[in-house]
C-alpha cells in the first residue's frame, strides 16, 4: 500500500498504511504519524478516518490496514472505527508479501463497543 511509505515512524520504525473504501467508491488513505511525546502518536487507521470524515464520507465498505506481518488495529482505533458503523470489513495486509492475512467485520473486533446516542 503506497501510503505506508509516507508513515512518520522515527521511534518505532514500524510504518503502517490504511485505506478506507467508502460506500460511494472513493478511497481515503492514512499513515501513522509518531511524536516524541508518544501519547500524541496517530495510528494509520485514525489518520484514514480523519481524511474520510473531512471529505464528508462517513459510510464505509471496508478498511485495509498494511504493515509488516499484518497487525490488527489497536483498541483506540477499533473504538474510533465503530463510531462509523459496525458492519464494514477490516482487512489486514502483510506489506511484505502483499497478501491479505485476515478479514473481519469491525463488530467482530470490538464486541460490546462503547456507544452513546448522539
Ligand atoms: Zn491504533
Amino acid at each position: 500500500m503506497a501510503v505506508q511509505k509516507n508513515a512518520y515512524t522515527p521511534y518505532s520504525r514500524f510504518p503502517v498504511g490504511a485505506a478506507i473504501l467508502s460506500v460511494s467508491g472513493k478511497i481515503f488513505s492514512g499513515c501513522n504519524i509518531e511524536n516524541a511525546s508518544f501519547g500524541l502518536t496517530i495510528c494509520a487507521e485514525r489518520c484514514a478516518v480523519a481524511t474520510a470524515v473531512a471529505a464528508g464520507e462517513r459510510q464505509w465498505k471496508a478498511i485495509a490496514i498494511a504493515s509488516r506481518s499484518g497487525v490488527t488495529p489497536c483498541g483506540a482505533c477499533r473504538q474510533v472505527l465503530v463510531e462509523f458503523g459496525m458492519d464494514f470489513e477490516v482487512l489486514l495486509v502483510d506489506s511484505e508479501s502483499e497478501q491479505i492475512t485476515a478479514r473481519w467485520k469491525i463488530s467482530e473486533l470490538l464486541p460490546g463497543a462503547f456507544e452513546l446516542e448522539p
Side-chain angles (χ1 to χ4, degrees):
M1 182 179 298
V3 71
Q4 185 182 5
K5 294 179 180 66
N6 296 335
Y8 176 71
T9 59
Y11 307 106
S12 72
R13 303 196 188 287
F14 192 79
V16 181
I20 291 173
L21 174 62
S22 72
V23 295
S24 67
K26 295 177 186 164
I27 294 174
F28 300 91
S29 59
C31 60
N32 50 338
I33 305 165
E34 294 183 345
N35 190 278
S37 177
F38 292 169
L40 299 179
T41 292
I42 300 169
C43 297
E45 299 92 320
R46 282 180 280 152
C47 182
V49 167
T51 303
V53 173
E57 297 279 351
R58 298 180 185 169
Q59 294 183 307
W60 309 326
K61 290 182 179 175
I63 181 170
I65 304 159
S67 66
R68 283 193 310 266
S69 75
V71 297
T72 61
C74 75
C77 286
R78 293 177 195 206
Q79 182 65 44
V80 169
L81 288 167
V82 300
E83 180 73 20
F84 298 97
M86 294 294 278
D87 198 38
F88 58 88
E89 279 196 297
V90 179
L91 294 86
L92 304 183
V93 178
D94 179 341
S95 57
E96 293 175 347
S97 68
E98 298 186 350
Q99 298 296 310
I100 295 172
T101 58
R103 66 191 324 153
W104 292 288
K105 291 285 187 185
I106 185 63
S107 58
E108 296 175 289
L109 288 178
L110 192 62
F114 175 75
E115 294 179 76
L116 186 64
E117 290 300 318

